[in-house]
């Protein structure tokens, strides 16, 4: 069709009053025969928009409540594995609250919720298996002092300038 409707959603969730932790999942992936660090993610259901999918998936995978930040310029879908598939995912950004739990996960899922600070993110990138989309966002998280989602507001301030 030439259209790029998102098949899935990836959630960049920031946690804690200091906005100093990021929500990750450590999930068993059969093709790799081991655990991989990823951002919470999932499929967008028919008729569901990205924000709703992000809120739902965050709750299902982590038990946390996601308050999304509207960021249309950064949420549009991008292709995940060019050359292998036409799958695309949009990213939802937001702040998470609550207590992490696996109570809402499907019985076939083996997912651990990780609330990682910057030092733990550095360790994960150095020592663990990490999905590429997660790796790039962890690099952003590590390199950004203060609120890692502040760039979403900064993009709005520059609109209309030539």
């Amino acid at each position: 069709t030439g259209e790029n409707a998102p098949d899935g959603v990836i959630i960049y969730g920031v946690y804690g009053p200091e906005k100093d932790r990021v929500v990750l999942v450590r999930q068993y992936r059969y093709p790799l025969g081991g655990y991989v660090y990823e951002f919470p993610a999932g499929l967008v259901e028919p008729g569901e928009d990205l924000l709703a999918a992000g809120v739902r998936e965050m709750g299902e995978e982590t038990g946390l409540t996601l308050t999304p930040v509207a960021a249309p310029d950064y949420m549009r879908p991008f292709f995940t594995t060019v050359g292998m598939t036409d799958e695309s995912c949009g990213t939802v950004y937001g702040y998470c609250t609550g207590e992490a739990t696996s109570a809402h996960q499907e019985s076939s899922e083996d997912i651990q919720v990780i609330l990682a600070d910057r030092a733990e993110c550095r360790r994960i990138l150095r020592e663990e298996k990490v999905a590429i989309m997660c790796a790039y966002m962890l690099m952003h998280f590590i390199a950004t002092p203060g609120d890692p989602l502040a760039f979403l507001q900064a993009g709005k301030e520059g609109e209309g300038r030539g």
Side-chain angles (χ1 to χ4, degrees):
T1 65
E3 293 190 25
N4 184 13
D7 301 289
V9 61
I10 301 164
I11 307 113
Y12 187 158
V14 175
Y15 187 85
E18 302 299 317
K19 300 177 179 85
D20 60 349
R21 288 182 274 168
V22 66
V23 180
L24 301 173
V25 293
R26 183 176 177 259
Q27 185 165 196
Y28 189 85
R29 293 295 189 180
Y30 290 97
L32 298 178
Y35 289 90
V36 176
Y37 284 80
E38 305 172 67
F39 273 85
L43 296 175
V44 176
E45 294 179 358
E48 187 176 44
D49 69 28
L50 273 180
L51 290 178
V55 169
R56 177 183 53 76
E57 284 291 345
M58 182 64 79
E60 289 176 2
E61 290 194 357
T62 70
L64 298 172
T65 300
L66 175 72
T67 302
V69 175
D73 291 343
Y74 297 104
M75 290 174 46
R76 74 182 191 89
F78 293 100
F79 297 103
T80 57
T81 311
V82 181
M84 300 294 290
T85 177
D86 67 350
E87 177 189 72
S88 66
C89 292
T91 305
V92 171
Y93 304 85
Y95 301 101
C96 295
T97 56
E99 297 295 321
T101 178
S102 59
H104 306 290
Q105 296 173 11
E106 295 178 20
S107 61
S108 62
E109 294 178 313
D110 185 356
I111 300 174
Q112 301 163 355
V113 181
I114 310 293
L115 303 175
D117 63 14
R118 286 174 175 87
E120 178 63 2
C121 290
R122 283 186 191 90
R123 186 201 68 75
I124 290 168
L125 286 171
R126 238 184 359 260
E127 301 173 9
E128 304 288 349
K129 293 178 184 174
V130 182
I132 189 70
M133 291 177 281
C134 179
Y136 289 143
M137 289 191 267
L138 288 181
M139 292 174 203
H140 171 267
F141 177 73
I142 291 167
T144 305
D147 181 355
L149 301 185
F151 77 99
L152 298 172
Q153 290 299 320
K156 291 179 184 178
E157 293 168 6
E159 289 178 3
R161 295 183 186 161

